[in-house]
Amino acid sequence: MTSSTRESASEHTGNGVPAPPVGEVGGVGEAARAARADAYDRWLRGLLPPRPGVALLAVGGLGRRQCAPHGDLDLVLLHAGVPGVDELAASLWYPVWDAGLRLDHSVRTVAEALAVARDDVKVALGLLDARFVAGDAALAGTLVGTATDQWRRNAVRQLPALREITAARWAAHGELAFLLEGDLKEAAGGLRDVGILRAIAIAQITDALRPAVRAAHLRLLDTRDALHRQVGRRVDRLVAQERDGVAALLGLRRPPPGATDTTRPVSVGGREAASDGDGDALLRRVAGDARTVSHALDDAFRAADRLRAGRRRGADGRAPRRPVARDVVEHDGELVLARTAIGARPEPSLSLRVAAAAAVTRLPIARATCEWLAAYCPPLPAPWPAEARAALVTLLGAGPGLVPAWETCDRYGLIEGWLPEWTRLRSLPQHNPVHRFTLDRHLVQTASEASRYTREVDRPDLLLLGALLHDVGKGLPGDHSTVGAPLAEAVAARIGLPAPEVALIGTLVRLHLLLPDVATRRDLADPVTIAGVAERVGEATTLDLLHALVRADAAATGPAAWSPWKGRLVAELVARVRTTWDTGVPPGPPAPDPALLAGALPVVRLAGDRVAVAAADRRGLLATVAGCLALHRLEVVSADATTVDGRALVECRVQPRYGLAPDPVALGADLRRAVRGDVSVVRRLSGRTLAARADGAAPRVVWHREAATDAVLLELRAADATGLLYRVTRALDEAGAQVRAARICTLGGDVVDVFYLVGGWPAEDTRARLESAVLAAV
């Protein structure tokens, strides 16, 4: 096919046929799509009157009668070697271009089309959608029938190539189920994958288009229709600013206060209805549908693999059955129930034991087995029997095998039988950009990551369960750590844990953010910081569990949630708390670098991620150093300022803002000139620092009293921007505050910067003046 659009070329419009009236059919839904297809068909038939040896076929969306409001046309001009076919093609294509439509087109004989389909699996799939529109119906029927027969003969041979192409597309576009701005067509689980399922079903490899897949497909088509209508043009990526409007067009609206119904139909005319739409409800629906499609495609590809393996086995074609666990056997690459288990009365723990076996062996559970378990496995009693608890721990501790096994069980409704809370958590979007997964997938991924640390803790079972439940309070009003603790305790009690272990699960959920928050926002050399953490955590077993949990949580969140520097900070905090418990005294601050206390001033030392400066004691040194580092595209993650024997010392830990390390010679030279007061460097600092984003929540200042030994804490929550630390420290200095330390925590596009201000608790007017100075600097 050749994709093209053209400007108006009225001299080629041929029959004077008016443009198709599809603009009058801009609705959402199956009936609207069919009406658009009818309108295109009538218009195209006017371009090609009945003629032997020539036929016009539609493929793609028009071939399937699934035309989006602003979709393109995919057309094949089929001929039997008649003369003048090029002129005939021009008389068809130019009216399409004149109508302002995108066109994918080709001109082929039946033999040419079939030859290309044999060599190109994408063309083979396209011909499966081919539908006669105008011209010689018999000729069109020959191609449609022969192309289908050819695909059925060659599908098993061509599917590996299709799978390779599909995997590359998934890698480029991601998983629709977990993307905040996913491509409804190209991402994994999107409309393109439904087309592959249809092809596998046509090949009669498996019944790939089951009712759940058909329903998910229709909802995804409706979503794309609504997106086209909302934006007013062809677009497949569901971007954030369009979500509410699309949701409104689909009848997904936010309930009024006190109501819970989010699916009442609304009458809307486009963007003005966006405020009524519930974008989160739309994301959850899209995620659920994408998961249904993805799971069905995985199952269909496995069916093709089994068919190919059966052909290689020869005439017998039977695969052996191999026991892998009690009541579970492997058959033809999948896990199925043993015959004795099917004939006996099933135990409540059977579904958990099957899932655990699948996770440990990393083999998929057969679809028929999942359906049988969903239909016949009895509910678990409360509290759970010991066998069920053991199976859950085995499942959660299986590492990489956990996620696919859990996802399969979730597709068949087994998870709600274990954890009724899962219904609320499923596909719940997390809008913080550091998160790469929906909430439910994040919880399962955290448990998977936690399996890497089970040998570092005394209670690996509680680590795994705490990982699965640590964010169970999200989506509810209030702080999710506080709200989630009693919910997690209720689950732990239902599972059958004794009361002390139930309380420990609650503690893990309540404190799961304590270590990273303190490590990145507090001065770890301050005894008050360490004593506070030691008091809240209480004992070493809990500390080890929290340390493992925070690393698993960060790994499951995404690469932006963790860094080697954050890992070192958390490890240092854990070590200092241990020392406090062992000795009864918090460890003191580290001694200054001796090299900074000797030699002529200024002294600049660059070593790895550490930048240290010694200069004559003066106000504003920290701001100057921070600005110079920003000038060289370095992010400051911590900064300490002290005065020793008349020397002002500033030590910073830094990381490159864009992943590229600066030239150390140029950085050292600029630091020396800046701390001497070179006005040229100061001017560059003022000219090149960038203002923060204007969107999002307003910046906020929070004060913390009695959180440090000799200082009060001013915490700034704002959007991240180059030079922010420089501007804020300069503003504090000009307002008369002395900053002895700063801790910078970046969360996606936002920061939480904490400044230690030397002295006692400021008066109310002083606090107001400092707040105003800081917010003005932001």
Side-chain angles (χ1 to χ4, degrees), residues 421 424 465-466 469-474 476-493 499 501-512 536:
E421 298 83 358
R424 180 180 62 81
L465 186 57
L469 300 174
H470 74 283
D471 277 347
V472 71
K474 282 188 175 179
L476 299 173
D479 179 271
H480 77 277
S481 301
T482 304
V483 173
L487 300 177
E489 290 171 350
V491 173
E501 296 176 9
V502 169
L504 182 51
I505 289 294
T507 299
L508 293 180
V509 174
R510 190 177 297 107
L511 300 182
H512 75 273
R536 293 189 67 184

Side-chain angles (χ1 to χ4, degrees), residues 87-228:
E87 293 77 7
L88 177 61
S91 71
L92 294 173
W93 309 151
Y94 275 96
V96 177
W97 290 323
D98 286 347
L101 300 173
R102 291 181 58 90
L103 173 65
D104 287 352
H105 61 87
S106 65
V107 180
R108 289 182 179 133
T109 64
V110 171
E112 290 170 345
L114 294 174
V116 175
R118 276 193 296 270
D119 297 330
D120 190 330
V121 67
K122 292 193 289 185
V123 173
L125 263 63
L127 288 181
L128 297 178
D129 297 330
R131 181 175 60 85
F132 169 72
V133 175
D136 189 334
L139 180 65
T142 299
L143 176 62
V144 171
T146 308
T148 301
D149 291 341
Q150 178 175 283
W151 168 250
R152 285 173 176 158
R153 291 194 306 271
N154 299 334
V156 173
R157 178 180 61 83
Q158 289 186 293
L159 277 176
L162 176 60
R163 197 169 190 170
E164 184 177 340
I165 294 170
T166 301
R169 172 169 54 81
W170 291 344
H173 294 277
E175 297 180 75
L176 181 58
F178 308 121
L179 294 170
L180 291 175
E181 295 188 338
D183 189 306
L184 297 171
K185 184 176 182 180
E186 302 293 347
L191 294 169
R192 185 77 73 185
D193 285 353
V194 179
I196 300 175
L197 285 170
R198 181 171 178 267
I200 293 174
I202 290 173
Q204 300 175 342
I205 293 173
T206 184
D207 53 341
L209 292 177
R210 295 165 68 83
V213 176
R214 293 179 185 272
H217 181 209
L218 290 176
R219 286 190 293 268
L220 289 173
L221 287 172
D222 289 348
T223 303
R224 186 178 65 173
D225 288 355
L227 178 60
H228 281 206

Side-chain angles (χ1 to χ4, degrees), residues 373-701:
L373 291 171
Y376 299 111
C377 194
L380 286 160
W384 288 11
E387 189 175 34
R389 286 196 302 276
L392 177 64
V393 172
T394 301
L395 171 62
L396 296 179
L402 166 62
V403 172
W406 190 281
E407 189 74 13
T408 296
C409 292
D410 197 21
R411 290 300 91 198
Y412 290 91
L414 299 177
I415 304 298
E416 282 105 337
W418 313 335
L419 302 171
E421 298 83 358
W422 207 252
T423 302
R424 180 180 62 81
L425 305 174
R426 183 184 293 111
S427 299
L428 189 67
Q430 302 195 88
H431 293 287
N432 191 314
V434 301
H435 277 281
R436 56 177 172 162
F437 293 130
T438 54
L439 176 59
D440 58 332
R441 173 63 186 276
H442 170 70
L443 295 175
V444 178
Q445 189 70 37
T446 303
S448 176
E449 299 288 348
S451 67
R452 297 158 53 194
Y453 305 106
T454 52
R455 296 183 181 181
E456 299 182 12
V457 297
D458 294 336
R459 292 299 306 270
D461 55 337
L462 299 186
L463 169 62
L464 296 169
L465 186 57
L468 181 68
L469 300 174
H470 74 283
D471 277 347
V472 71
K474 282 188 175 179
L476 299 173
D479 179 271
H480 77 277
S481 301
T482 304
V483 173
L487 300 177
E489 290 171 350
V491 173
R494 188 169 68 245
I495 287 174
L497 297 183
E501 296 176 9
V502 169
L504 182 51
I505 289 294
T507 299
L508 293 180
V509 174
R510 190 177 297 107
L511 300 182
H512 75 273
L513 294 177
L514 176 66
L515 297 184
D517 282 355
V518 172
T520 57
R521 303 178 189 180
R522 296 294 183 267
D523 181 5
L524 301 187
D526 193 320
V528 171
T529 299
I530 305 305
V533 173
E535 181 179 2
R536 293 189 67 184
V537 174
E539 48 86 33
T541 296
T542 304
L543 182 66
D544 289 340
L545 289 169
L546 288 171
H547 189 200
L549 178 55
V550 68
R551 287 175 284 170
D553 186 13
T557 298
W562 198 248
S563 66
W565 168 243
K566 184 177 286 188
R568 289 196 297 271
L569 285 177
V570 172
E572 180 183 349
L573 172 59
V574 170
R576 285 176 173 269
V577 171
R578 284 186 176 281
T579 300
T580 300
W581 285 335
D582 292 342
T583 65
V585 179
D593 183 351
L596 298 177
L597 302 179
L601 298 177
V603 178
V604 175
R605 290 179 60 82
L606 309 177
D609 64 352
R610 177 174 172 268
V611 175
V613 174
D617 191 13
R618 67 175 179 86
R619 299 187 67 89
L621 181 61
L622 175 58
T624 300
V625 172
C628 194
L629 295 175
L631 186 65
H632 287 264
R633 298 182 175 87
L634 288 172
E635 290 182 342
V636 179
V637 294
S638 73
D640 293 284
T642 57
T643 301
V644 178
D645 297 333
R647 290 180 174 227
L649 310 181
V650 173
E651 296 193 50
C652 299
R653 297 285 181 170
V654 298
Q655 61 187 15
R657 176 171 283 272
Y658 304 112
L660 298 175
D663 179 0
V665 175
L667 173 60
D670 275 351
L671 282 169
R672 292 182 182 88
R673 287 198 298 269
V675 299
R676 289 192 182 105
D678 189 322
V679 293
S680 65
V681 178
V682 174
R683 286 172 183 165
R684 288 165 59 201
L685 297 180
S686 301
R688 291 183 60 178
T689 54
L690 303 178
R693 301 190 321 266
D695 59 337
R700 182 186 176 201
V701 169

Side-chain angles (χ1 to χ4, degrees), residues 619-620 623-624 714 716 723-739 755 757 769-778:
R619 299 187 67 89
T624 300
L714 183 153
L716 170 65
L724 179 63
L725 179 63
Y726 162 66
R727 295 198 305 274
V728 173
T729 50
R730 186 180 64 177
L732 287 170
D733 179 68
E734 292 173 351
Q738 181 180 348
V739 179
F755 300 90
L757 308 184
R769 178 170 52 81
L770 294 175
E771 283 186 31
S772 297
V774 168
L775 295 177
V778 173

